[in-house]
């Protein structure tokens, strides 16, 4: 609820990594690992900002941020085929109006 993200290992109650205030205090409403690249995850905050984290590039800050300006995004999920090496990865955004938007991710964050 405060924009913090914690990375846990299943065998410990303490996080391996923790990023406080990663969204400038905005609640995170969705977070998902990339299906095609294990070191990448995406977070959606309550202000319709999508943060892309690539832990191989930086484990301090997100490597990119994209604001969806047209209307409020209420949730997101990812689509892709992890068994294929084509690096095709998409973000499905559900907007407040009920509209669904699919955007494809740059290859550098999608290729295994």
């Amino acid at each position: 609820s405060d924009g913090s993200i914690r990375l846990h290992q299943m065998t410990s109650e303490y996080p391996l990594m923790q990023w406080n205030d990663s969204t400038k205090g905005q609640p995170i409403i969705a977070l998902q690992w990339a299906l095609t690249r294990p070191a990448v995850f995406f977070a959606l905050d309550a202000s319709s900002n999508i943060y892309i984290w690539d832990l191989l590039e930086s484990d301090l800050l997100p490597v990119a941020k994209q604001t969806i300006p047209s209307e409020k995004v209420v949730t997101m999920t990812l689509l892709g085929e992890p068994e294929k090496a084509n690096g095709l990865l998409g973000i499905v955004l559900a907007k407040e109006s009920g509209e669904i938007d699919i955007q494809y991710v740059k290859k550098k964050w999608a290729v295994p």
Side-chain angles (χ1 to χ4, degrees):
S1 65
D2 64 357
S4 297
I5 298 173
R6 291 176 210 58
L7 176 64
H8 283 268
Q9 183 175 330
M10 297 296 288
T11 57
S12 175
E13 65 182 281
Y14 302 104
L16 295 172
M17 298 281 299
Q18 181 167 329
W19 299 277
N20 294 321
D21 198 34
S22 64
T23 60
K24 307 281 188 256
Q26 287 296 312
I28 296 172
I29 57 175
L31 189 139
Q32 189 172 352
W33 286 100
L35 302 170
T36 57
R37 187 175 172 99
V40 174
F41 66 89
F42 298 79
L44 171 67
D45 74 14
S47 294
S48 300
N49 296 304
I50 298 170
Y51 300 85
I52 303 172
W53 292 78
D54 183 344
L55 299 179
L56 296 177
E57 188 175 328
S58 172
D59 62 359
L60 299 175
L61 300 166
V63 294
K65 174 184 169 185
Q66 178 67 48
T67 301
I68 310 299
S70 57
E71 72 177 276
K72 184 176 170 100
V73 177
V74 294
T75 194
M76 74 167 186
T77 193
L78 298 177
L79 58 90
E81 298 176 293
E83 64 279 353
K84 292 187 179 177
N86 64 5
L88 195 60
L89 180 66
I91 302 176
V92 181
L93 305 170
K95 297 183 178 180
E96 200 168 45
S97 66
E99 181 182 321
I100 301 293
D101 188 17
I102 299 174
Q103 297 186 9
Y104 288 95
V105 175
K106 288 182 179 181
K107 291 268 188 199
K108 69 179 184 177
W109 297 312
V111 173

